[in-house]
Amino acid sequence: MADIDGIGSTRPGHYGAQGTGVVLARATIGAAWNVQGDPRHAPFVAAAERQVGLAPVAQPNACARREGLLLLWLGPRSWLAIEGERTALTDADVARDALNAAGGALFDVSSSRVAFTLRGAKAADVLASGCPLDVDVRAFAPGTCAQSVFGHLNALIYRHDPATFTLMVATSFAADAWHALSVAAAVDGYDVVPAAPFRP
Amino acid sequence: MMLIPCPWCGPRNQVEFTYGGDATVERPADDAPMEAWFAYVYLRDNPRGPHDEWWLHSAGCRSWFAVRRDTRTHDILASAPVGEPLGERAP
Amino acid sequence: MQKFRLATGGDIDRGHPVRFEFNGAPLEGYRGDTLASALLAHGRHLVGRSFKYHRPRGIFSAGAEEPSALVQIARGARTEPNARATVVEVHDGLVARSQNCWPSVRFDLGAINNVVSRLIPAGFYYKTFMWPPTPAAWLRYEHWIRRAAGMGRSATSADPDRYDQRFAHCDVLVVGGGVAGLAAARAAAGGGARVIVCDETPRWGGLARRGASSVPIDGAPRGDWIDTCVDDLAGAADVTMLSRSTAFGYYDGNLVGAVERVTHHLAAPLPPFAPRERLWLIRAKAVVLASGAHERGIAYPDNDRPGTMLLSAARTYVERFGVRPGTCAVVFANHDGAYDDALALRDAGIEIAAVVDPRDDAAMAGVDVRRARDAGLPVHARSLVLRAHGGHRVHAVDVAAREGGKSQRIDCDLVCVAGGWSPAVHLFSQARGTLRYDEAIAAFVPDASPLPIVAAGAANGCFDDALLAADGTAAGEAALALARGASPSPAAVARPPRAPGAAPVEPLWTVPAPYGAKRFVDLQNDVTVDDVALAKREGYQSVEHLKRYTTLGMGTDQGKTSNVPGLALMAAELGTTIPAVGTTTFRPPYTPVTMGAFPGAHTGPHVEPVRRSAMHAWHASQGARFVNAGLWKRPHSYPRTGESEDDAARREAINVRRNVGVVDVSTLGKIELQGRDAAAFLNRVYINRFDSLAVGRCRYGVMLRDDGMVMDDGTTSRLADTHFLVTTTTVNAVRVMQHFEYLLQVAWPTLEVYATSVTEQWSAAAISGPRARDVVAALVDLDVSNAAFPFLAVGACRVRTADGEVPGRLFRMSYSGELAYELHVPTVHGLAAWEGIIAAGAPFGLMPYGTEAMSTLRIEKGHVVVGAEADGRTTADDLGLGKLVNAGKWCVGKPLLGRPALVADDRWQLVGLTAQHGAVMPRGGKLVADPDRAPPIPMQGHITSWCESPHVGAWIGLALLAGGRARHGETLWAVSPLADQRVRVTVGPPAFIDPEGTRLRG
Amino acid sequence: MRYSAFSLAREALRGHRDWPRAWRSPPPKKAYDAVVIGGGGHGLATAYYLAKEHGVSNVAVLEKGWIGGGNTGRNTTIVRSNYHLDANAHFYEFSLKLWEKLSQALNFNVMYSARGVLNLVHSPADIDAAMRRGNAMRLNGIDAKFMSREEIAAWIPNLDCSPHARFPVLGGLLQPRGGTVRHDAVAWGYARAADALGVDIVERCEVQGIRVEGGAIAGVETSQGFIATPKLGIAVAGHSSHVAAMAGITLPIESHVLQAMVSEPVKPILDTVVTSGAVHFYVSQSDKGELVMGGDLDFYNSYAQRGNLPVIEHVVAACLALFPSFGRLKLMRTWGGIMDMTMDGSPIIAKLPVKGLYMTGGWCYGGFKATPASGFLHAHTIAHDAPHPLNAPFTLERFAEGRMIDEKGAGPYAWAH
Ligand SMILES: Cc1cc2nc3c(=O)[nH]c(=O)nc-3n(C[C@H](O)[C@H](O)[C@H](O)COP(=O)(O)OP(=O)(O)OC[C@H]3O[C@@H](n4cnc5c(N)ncnc54)[C@H](O)[C@@H]3O)c2cc1C
Ligand SMILES: NC(=O)c1ccc[n+]([C@@H]2O[C@H](COP(=O)([O-])OP(=O)(O)OC[C@H]3O[C@@H](n4cnc5c(N)ncnc54)[C@H](O)[C@@H]3O)[C@@H](O)[C@H]2O)c1
Ligand SMILES: Cc1cc2nc3c(=O)[nH]c(=O)nc-3n(C[C@H](O)[C@H](O)[C@H](O)COP(=O)(O)O)c2cc1C
Ligand SMILES: [Zn+2]
């Protein structure tokens, strides 16, 4: 399959068909911590809340949010705290020690993922080009997250509102993910806008 | 494209999962005799019908969990987190 | 001149002529035409040649079931073989050609096969071509057989078009947009369901879309009902309508694959970013199968002459496309339903020369039969068509009474056959639905499925126009209930509703014929009634043997019009019933699907994703040659202008031993562990101990599979009391992580250990060489003197980069055998840190090196690699690492290590090899005692890794050799018959440099 | 009636009315000297060689469905002997030698097409492994040739040999004598030849139980009643575990589904068998013109004879990555077969721990090419109650002893082989 001229470029501008089905942008991540522990273990929950500023939610795929900071459910004993600008999440080693002491764990994974935001009427369609999740709002509510795949890549998806998603993939796949998003978006046309810090 | 019910994330497309094999073989104690380890590592009932097996939600919550699946039809009869019994009905 | 185009009628747009080309001739059709209808408008029936006998073939159907009219579409890279003329929509610039014929479709040399056809009945090739008795002889026969077979031609350059994919979800998926499907969709949508309805054609309404049938729906004329229904659905928020979309397969979990043809019908220039096709993966809670039915033929001699078509198809051409497929027709039909169609042809100005019906007058009781008789159609009851006349076009048929007697020749240029209908049950059957043979329509109909699928309309065996919409509605409601959780039960599947007194079809599959007359059952694969009889005679009687022996139903149409007649003929041969013979298996795809549609965008360079390290762009800018390592691209070497890759690698390796080099090791798997029991866990996973590892230190470790073989190796560092960093090999990173998770969650859930992969978090560079310390000292804020930061030390540090100071982790470990450090920084800073290393190293002669130099260095040092030395069949002891297996503790894999063959003396063990007399070590060489023996020559071992060692000044290698540890000093042959190389090699210990490790400790 | 061009011509004149049944369809007798379970290639070949080589012709082959309806009738027809490990190499080379003469031996054209099997290599490590294997083959007396990228590009013009490919073709290991054999013909040819030697082939006869008396085989319970026999051979491929369990034996085997697929037929476009380990793909073109393709397992235990879309997507993606010009061909049919995957990826052709009970099974992806040798050696083992040197390594006990024959080094994970 031949690549289409220009599609896949990260430079701001309009690409693909006429019209703008979706606006694509890279979202920069300031800090991201993987918090792990048993949510039924009160000292862990307390320590996590103290260190991260948000209490881990036990509900699968739920998120907790605070100004600029998002805590996403990753698994029954695992969460991801993420912020676009490094403000709340400061000293990972101190937080780690505190959590280890409380029977939990904390890993600095600030560089592990790259994030892309998809905004617009066709955002759900672009996602559906590679993601088997039901992205209907009735099945995937704003303010929640899900892990799945996008094409061949494992993906973590956060839905901001009905027409806005952030897709996160492993850093080393950044170029591939961007390419896949661009190709899917080209059918209905898309704009690329400059990278901006992630905001939940 | 099986729809595999992760006990945590709910029913998800099979592409999100990694297969882990027979869940009925019990891991022997460290000091169990070599024969027990041999059976655990090599021998399989390999049933034609309901089969209890491990799956990892590798593109999801990274939980291992048990699934009871009919190997003749691929119908999934039940799933359960590690340590919990597999019920008779789909979750 | 479209001589056969009717002045009015049909769903074509006479205001929009389109120009296309067929066999080089420019022709005109109208928007809305298929290639078949446009050809028929010009009176062209001869379209192609058959598979085996190269007989002239025409247009048999008007839809997806077409067996005969296969053409080659377009030219060059966009050429597509085996397109069905009956579904190809004409557009300006369409180019089509007859296929499987040479030099032309009118005069085809391959038709010689027809002349010798008696010599080549079904399965003839199993009986001959065995002489002379050599494999080469068959290859020569095969060469010609292959050329005669095949059909169209593949393109020979890359498909330039793009394909998309889309996942979709709904409560009810309706397959088929005929009356039944539309009614079902409306019922389901009306109940609040999310509905997707797809139809493979461009128009909604299915067969009912044709003409103005007298039977109204819900009191409205059919066309109006369809239009209203389509408008309602299109306007509904939760309904998606996919036209030109074929549901091709039903998969587990109620996932239906469908393929949408997005641009096939469009003339160039195509919309610039539109995909050619889109693959829909539709997860439905319930499915309504309203896919209609396929009419079937009757096998009489020469029933394949162009001008022979299904009766319903002839009507479709008249009413849907405004084309008369002939001027004078003979209709050969065995059921009442045909008479309405015959009348419709007559109304379009086609003379009906005869309606030939095998039934007794008494059985022909339907109103339409009476209407036909009243209208003066010459109906021949109890009669058969005994054969057709004509070559490139039928011009007459012989008709005779059923009981025999003299036949009558009736001139005609069109023969319309109506042998009954077979419901399109394919997806129902794929959904594990059982089929039931319905005598009344002489066809298999859906019975029951354990899955939530409901058949409706003709697919359900409901052939009565008056009942279709109701059947569809009932199916839509049943599907909605299934989607809401009702469990599938046989009762949920509506029985084919049938008006009381509807006359049954009288099955008629063939007519008597003399030997040699060809009565085709499968038009595409040239399977005849005699072939079925031959299969029976020779014992290929199971329906599956019949299929495979004769190739019945194995063509591109998958036997849609021929399977039931074929198995009925076998039943007759065996004197048994049709259900006793049964059907063959309905497999996806329902109709052939463009291969390009399956991977969508994931092909070519994107067939698998690529992982790139943070330094990738830098490597590329420095002219690195990349190699695949798992999904990663790693620099193999950095050739300078005029330098070969091998030369570059040698230079890089030498520079490490002399000065200092840096290699990107970001791709190594990295797993962090925390928790109270992390050390205990590592003790159980690795053969060696980790509880004794001090904070700030690292240690090499080996882990085994449960069967005792080496699984992976790497280093583990203790970053804090309860915090470890484990590295794995690049290729095994994912596997090791899963292994850890399995052990932690399933095997030892009581251990308090948390693991996360940090492969992506940390970019890593290994700096090695005698001057490594100078470089590192210039970079980090640690005291890196030997005393302060000895071998195997680990420490957090700050790294000076152009971005400013960034956090890092420094490790003193060595793969090359030199003084070496590994520096890890967060991946956001990976590139900056790398550039910092390059800059800091410049005064010390630092060069980047790639995997090839890295390999040379580690071979010289005798370090094993998982995948080469540890090949999945080796134990730690085989690799000389047996001493690491800690006697005092248990670990994964240990219990089975004691098996007799794993402790035998003659196991292949790791050794070092040096080629004698400056010879080149053979790649993949085998170790033998005597290369001059006649094969089989016993092999004592093989070379696992090898290189030209700048340090040793000879070609060296690592090898696995039977009992090798006891054979140091021996001379053996290393041979590569593939490369015609044989070399004398000396066996020795695996380490060629600094076996005491003074360099790396220095 | 012997098959030949002459008999074909003679029958053409007679309206092909005199061809006899290729094999009879007798009701089963009450007892046989030996019974073989499974009317696939292996079972039929076992019976044929029992009669032909060992004079044991009072034999029945019991098939629950129709002969050749198992994996014999649903495989991608590749035959080769390009193995690395000695036991495999000797065994499969023996098989290939039998293939070379099989049409004549059976008087049934099985269409052994020695068109070559080419394993592509895509990385330096691939080259090393291919060279090691090829050298082992040559030393074992098996034909093998390493082809450069340029040679391959010239030979297979549709293959993308550009250095920029995602998996660039760096070369390939060719076994010229490898190729394809017409799958159905193998079952039918063996059946006809065995039948001619007196073997009873009983279709629609499912073995439902194995009667063991005093530690020895007494016979089998079938859907057509009890059949007595002192010697019982199991050749049921994907159903090995199920049948062995009837005699109380648990095997180191799991059943998995492997899919295969064909494109629509086209004129000759690919003249050899091309495989790629890195992209998990293999393809050849049948004499009828379809591209016959396959890839990986579906990776979960299954007896369903059908798989799922992801594997099909993957196989087709791999095909198009290697052959970009095939993109507009259409996929015509897909299906699946049940693979008996052993824990080391190699077969078991051996005596089982019940007197008079034998098996040939554990074929994984690759048992079609083994058919003649498997039948030959299984028959030998049954007739002599002891293995032939060629199948002596393929025991059931090898796992307990640590003598795995793990060609891929993938370890005791059935689906990994
Ligand atoms: C998709 C696919 C592709 C493959 N490609 C290749 C390839 O390219 N090259 C290659 O060498 N190999 C290939 N194989 C493997 C190969 O097909 C098989 O290993 C081989 O055909 C096995 O032959 P068999 O006679 O042992 O088994 P089968 O042909 O499966 O015969 C076993 C028979 O036993 C019968 N049976 C089972 N249980 C009972 C019972 N209780 N009673 C009576 N009968 C019973 C079954 O009905 C069946 O007919 C492939 C397999 C598949 C599925
Ligand atoms: N006269 C007779 O005896 C007789 C017999 C059978 C049918 N019929 C006629 O057939 C019609 C039956 O109506 P219906 O609604 O059941 O069927 P239909 O044939 O009108 O509609 C079925 C639709 O499904 C589509 N389709 C089929 N398979 C598909 C797939 N896999 N994916 C996507 N689309 C697919 C077809 O393109 C078609 O448009 C009536 O008009 C009836 O008169 C008549
Ligand atoms: C080598 C090979 C070639 C095949 N070619 C065709 C073919 O040309 N047409 C076809 O319909 N099926 C073809 N098949 C598939 C069979 O129709 C059938 O799907 C397969 O034997 C499995 O049987 P089942 O689908 O009845 O379960 C082929 C199968 C094999 C093994
Ligand atoms: Zn989950």
Side-chain angles (χ1 to χ4, degrees), chain C residues 907-936:
Chain C
R907 287 193 64 80
W908 286 20
Q909 294 163 338
L910 184 74
V911 294
L913 299 177
T914 310
Q916 298 179 358
H917 316 301
V920 177
M921 191 75 85
R923 187 167 199 172
K926 293 276 157 183
L927 302 176
V928 302
D930 174 8
D932 293 320
R933 272 185 57 149

Short mmCIF file of all heavy atoms in Angstrom, two decimals, chain C residues 907-936:
data_model
loop_
_atom_site.label_atom_id
_atom_site.label_comp_id
_atom_site.label_asym_id
_atom_site.label_seq_id
_atom_site.Cartn_x
_atom_site.Cartn_y
_atom_site.Cartn_z
N ARG C 907 26.19 -34.36 26.41
CA ARG C 907 25.38 -33.20 26.01
C ARG C 907 26.24 -32.20 25.27
O ARG C 907 27.43 -32.10 25.49
CB ARG C 907 24.75 -32.53 27.24
CG ARG C 907 23.61 -33.35 27.84
CD ARG C 907 22.82 -32.55 28.83
NE ARG C 907 22.15 -31.40 28.22
CZ ARG C 907 21.01 -31.47 27.54
NH1 ARG C 907 20.43 -32.64 27.35
NH2 ARG C 907 20.47 -30.39 27.02
N TRP C 908 25.57 -31.48 24.39
CA TRP C 908 26.30 -30.44 23.66
C TRP C 908 26.58 -29.27 24.60
O TRP C 908 25.65 -28.71 25.18
CB TRP C 908 25.47 -29.96 22.45
CG TRP C 908 25.43 -30.95 21.33
CD1 TRP C 908 25.68 -32.28 21.39
CD2 TRP C 908 25.12 -30.66 19.95
NE1 TRP C 908 25.54 -32.86 20.16
CE2 TRP C 908 25.20 -31.88 19.25
CE3 TRP C 908 24.79 -29.51 19.25
CZ2 TRP C 908 24.96 -31.96 17.87
CZ3 TRP C 908 24.54 -29.59 17.89
CH2 TRP C 908 24.64 -30.82 17.20
N GLN C 909 27.86 -28.98 24.73
CA GLN C 909 28.26 -27.96 25.70
C GLN C 909 29.00 -26.82 25.01
O GLN C 909 29.61 -27.01 23.95
CB GLN C 909 29.18 -28.58 26.76
CG GLN C 909 28.45 -29.60 27.62
CD GLN C 909 29.39 -30.50 28.38
OE1 GLN C 909 30.56 -30.66 27.98
NE2 GLN C 909 28.90 -31.09 29.45
N LEU C 910 28.95 -25.68 25.66
CA LEU C 910 29.54 -24.48 25.06
C LEU C 910 31.06 -24.57 25.03
O LEU C 910 31.70 -24.89 26.03
CB LEU C 910 29.14 -23.24 25.86
CG LEU C 910 29.62 -21.92 25.28
CD1 LEU C 910 28.79 -21.54 24.06
CD2 LEU C 910 29.54 -20.80 26.33
N VAL C 911 31.63 -24.30 23.86
CA VAL C 911 33.08 -24.21 23.73
C VAL C 911 33.40 -23.01 22.84
O VAL C 911 32.53 -22.45 22.18
CB VAL C 911 33.69 -25.48 23.08
CG1 VAL C 911 33.52 -26.69 23.98
CG2 VAL C 911 33.09 -25.72 21.70
N GLY C 912 34.68 -22.66 22.85
CA GLY C 912 35.17 -21.67 21.90
C GLY C 912 35.89 -22.38 20.78
O GLY C 912 36.44 -23.46 20.95
N LEU C 913 35.85 -21.81 19.59
CA LEU C 913 36.53 -22.41 18.45
C LEU C 913 37.44 -21.36 17.82
O LEU C 913 37.07 -20.20 17.73
CB LEU C 913 35.54 -22.85 17.37
CG LEU C 913 34.49 -23.90 17.70
CD1 LEU C 913 33.60 -24.09 16.48
CD2 LEU C 913 35.15 -25.21 18.11
N THR C 914 38.60 -21.79 17.39
CA THR C 914 39.45 -20.90 16.62
C THR C 914 39.77 -21.57 15.30
O THR C 914 40.17 -22.74 15.28
CB THR C 914 40.78 -20.62 17.37
OG1 THR C 914 40.46 -20.24 18.71
CG2 THR C 914 41.56 -19.51 16.70
N ALA C 915 39.57 -20.84 14.22
CA ALA C 915 39.86 -21.41 12.91
C ALA C 915 41.37 -21.43 12.72
O ALA C 915 42.07 -20.46 13.05
CB ALA C 915 39.20 -20.59 11.82
N GLN C 916 41.84 -22.52 12.20
CA GLN C 916 43.29 -22.65 12.02
C GLN C 916 43.72 -22.02 10.70
O GLN C 916 42.93 -21.89 9.77
CB GLN C 916 43.68 -24.13 12.06
CG GLN C 916 43.34 -24.77 13.42
CD GLN C 916 43.70 -26.25 13.47
OE1 GLN C 916 44.18 -26.81 12.49
NE2 GLN C 916 43.47 -26.87 14.62
N HIS C 917 44.96 -21.61 10.66
CA HIS C 917 45.60 -21.12 9.43
C HIS C 917 44.86 -19.94 8.80
O HIS C 917 44.76 -19.84 7.59
CB HIS C 917 45.72 -22.24 8.38
CG HIS C 917 46.18 -23.53 8.95
ND1 HIS C 917 47.39 -23.65 9.60
CD2 HIS C 917 45.58 -24.75 9.03
CE1 HIS C 917 47.53 -24.89 10.04
NE2 HIS C 917 46.44 -25.57 9.72
N GLY C 918 44.29 -19.10 9.64
CA GLY C 918 43.66 -17.89 9.11
C GLY C 918 42.41 -18.14 8.28
O GLY C 918 41.95 -17.24 7.58
N ALA C 919 41.88 -19.32 8.38
CA ALA C 919 40.70 -19.63 7.55
C ALA C 919 39.46 -18.90 8.08
O ALA C 919 39.41 -18.50 9.24
CB ALA C 919 40.45 -21.13 7.56
N VAL C 920 38.51 -18.76 7.19
CA VAL C 920 37.25 -18.09 7.55
C VAL C 920 36.31 -19.11 8.17
O VAL C 920 36.08 -20.18 7.61
CB VAL C 920 36.60 -17.49 6.30
CG1 VAL C 920 35.25 -16.85 6.65
CG2 VAL C 920 37.53 -16.46 5.66
N MET C 921 35.80 -18.76 9.32
CA MET C 921 34.89 -19.68 10.01
C MET C 921 33.59 -19.76 9.22
O MET C 921 33.02 -18.75 8.85
CB MET C 921 34.62 -19.13 11.41
CG MET C 921 33.92 -20.08 12.32
SD MET C 921 35.02 -21.37 12.92
CE MET C 921 35.77 -20.57 14.33
N PRO C 922 33.12 -20.96 8.93
CA PRO C 922 31.89 -21.04 8.13
C PRO C 922 30.65 -20.68 8.94
O PRO C 922 30.49 -21.12 10.07
CB PRO C 922 31.84 -22.51 7.70
CG PRO C 922 32.72 -23.23 8.64
CD PRO C 922 33.68 -22.26 9.25
N ARG C 923 29.83 -19.88 8.31
CA ARG C 923 28.58 -19.45 8.96
C ARG C 923 27.66 -20.65 9.13
O ARG C 923 27.45 -21.42 8.21
CB ARG C 923 27.91 -18.42 8.06
CG ARG C 923 26.72 -17.78 8.69
CD ARG C 923 26.29 -16.56 7.90
NE ARG C 923 25.46 -15.71 8.74
CZ ARG C 923 25.05 -14.50 8.42
NH1 ARG C 923 25.38 -13.98 7.25
NH2 ARG C 923 24.31 -13.80 9.23
N GLY C 924 27.14 -20.79 10.35
CA GLY C 924 26.25 -21.92 10.59
C GLY C 924 26.95 -23.26 10.39
O GLY C 924 26.32 -24.25 10.02
N GLY C 925 28.25 -23.29 10.62
CA GLY C 925 29.02 -24.50 10.36
C GLY C 925 28.71 -25.60 11.35
O GLY C 925 28.31 -25.37 12.49
N LYS C 926 28.91 -26.82 10.87
CA LYS C 926 28.68 -28.00 11.70
C LYS C 926 30.03 -28.60 12.05
O LYS C 926 30.97 -28.56 11.24
CB LYS C 926 27.87 -29.03 10.90
CG LYS C 926 26.47 -28.55 10.62
CD LYS C 926 25.60 -28.85 11.80
CE LYS C 926 24.40 -27.94 11.83
NZ LYS C 926 23.57 -28.17 13.02
N LEU C 927 30.12 -29.21 13.20
CA LEU C 927 31.38 -29.79 13.64
C LEU C 927 31.36 -31.30 13.40
O LEU C 927 30.46 -31.99 13.87
CB LEU C 927 31.60 -29.49 15.13
CG LEU C 927 31.59 -28.00 15.45
CD1 LEU C 927 31.72 -27.77 16.95
CD2 LEU C 927 32.70 -27.27 14.69
N VAL C 928 32.32 -31.75 12.63
CA VAL C 928 32.38 -33.17 12.31
C VAL C 928 33.81 -33.67 12.44
O VAL C 928 34.77 -32.88 12.37
CB VAL C 928 31.87 -33.46 10.87
CG1 VAL C 928 30.44 -32.97 10.69
CG2 VAL C 928 32.78 -32.83 9.83
N ALA C 929 33.95 -34.97 12.59
CA ALA C 929 35.29 -35.55 12.70
C ALA C 929 35.85 -35.81 11.31
O ALA C 929 37.04 -35.61 11.07
CB ALA C 929 35.22 -36.85 13.50
N ASP C 930 34.98 -36.24 10.40
CA ASP C 930 35.47 -36.64 9.09
C ASP C 930 34.52 -36.14 8.01
O ASP C 930 33.47 -36.74 7.78
CB ASP C 930 35.57 -38.17 9.04
CG ASP C 930 35.95 -38.65 7.65
OD1 ASP C 930 36.28 -37.79 6.79
OD2 ASP C 930 35.90 -39.88 7.44
N PRO C 931 34.87 -35.05 7.38
CA PRO C 931 33.95 -34.49 6.39
C PRO C 931 33.91 -35.28 5.09
O PRO C 931 33.06 -35.00 4.24
CB PRO C 931 34.53 -33.09 6.14
CG PRO C 931 35.96 -33.18 6.51
CD PRO C 931 36.10 -34.26 7.54
N ASP C 932 34.75 -36.25 4.94
CA ASP C 932 34.82 -36.97 3.67
C ASP C 932 33.99 -38.24 3.65
O ASP C 932 33.92 -38.92 2.63
CB ASP C 932 36.28 -37.28 3.33
CG ASP C 932 37.04 -36.00 3.02
OD1 ASP C 932 36.45 -35.13 2.36
OD2 ASP C 932 38.19 -35.86 3.49
N ARG C 933 33.41 -38.55 4.77
CA ARG C 933 32.52 -39.71 4.79
C ARG C 933 31.35 -39.52 3.84
O ARG C 933 30.98 -38.40 3.53
CB ARG C 933 31.92 -39.85 6.19
CG ARG C 933 32.73 -40.66 7.16
CD ARG C 933 31.95 -40.79 8.43
NE ARG C 933 30.62 -41.40 8.18
CZ ARG C 933 29.99 -42.15 9.06
NH1 ARG C 933 30.55 -42.39 10.24
NH2 ARG C 933 28.81 -42.67 8.79
N ALA C 934 30.74 -40.60 3.48
CA ALA C 934 29.50 -40.48 2.72
C ALA C 934 28.39 -40.09 3.69
O ALA C 934 28.38 -40.57 4.82
CB ALA C 934 29.17 -41.81 2.05
N PRO C 935 27.48 -39.22 3.25
CA PRO C 935 26.39 -38.84 4.15
C PRO C 935 25.54 -40.07 4.48
O PRO C 935 25.48 -40.99 3.68
CB PRO C 935 25.58 -37.84 3.35
CG PRO C 935 26.37 -37.52 2.12
CD PRO C 935 27.41 -38.58 1.95
N PRO C 936 24.86 -40.07 5.59
CA PRO C 936 24.86 -39.02 6.61
C PRO C 936 26.15 -38.99 7.43
O PRO C 936 26.62 -40.03 7.89
CB PRO C 936 23.68 -39.41 7.51
CG PRO C 936 23.46 -40.87 7.28
CD PRO C 936 23.91 -41.15 5.88
#
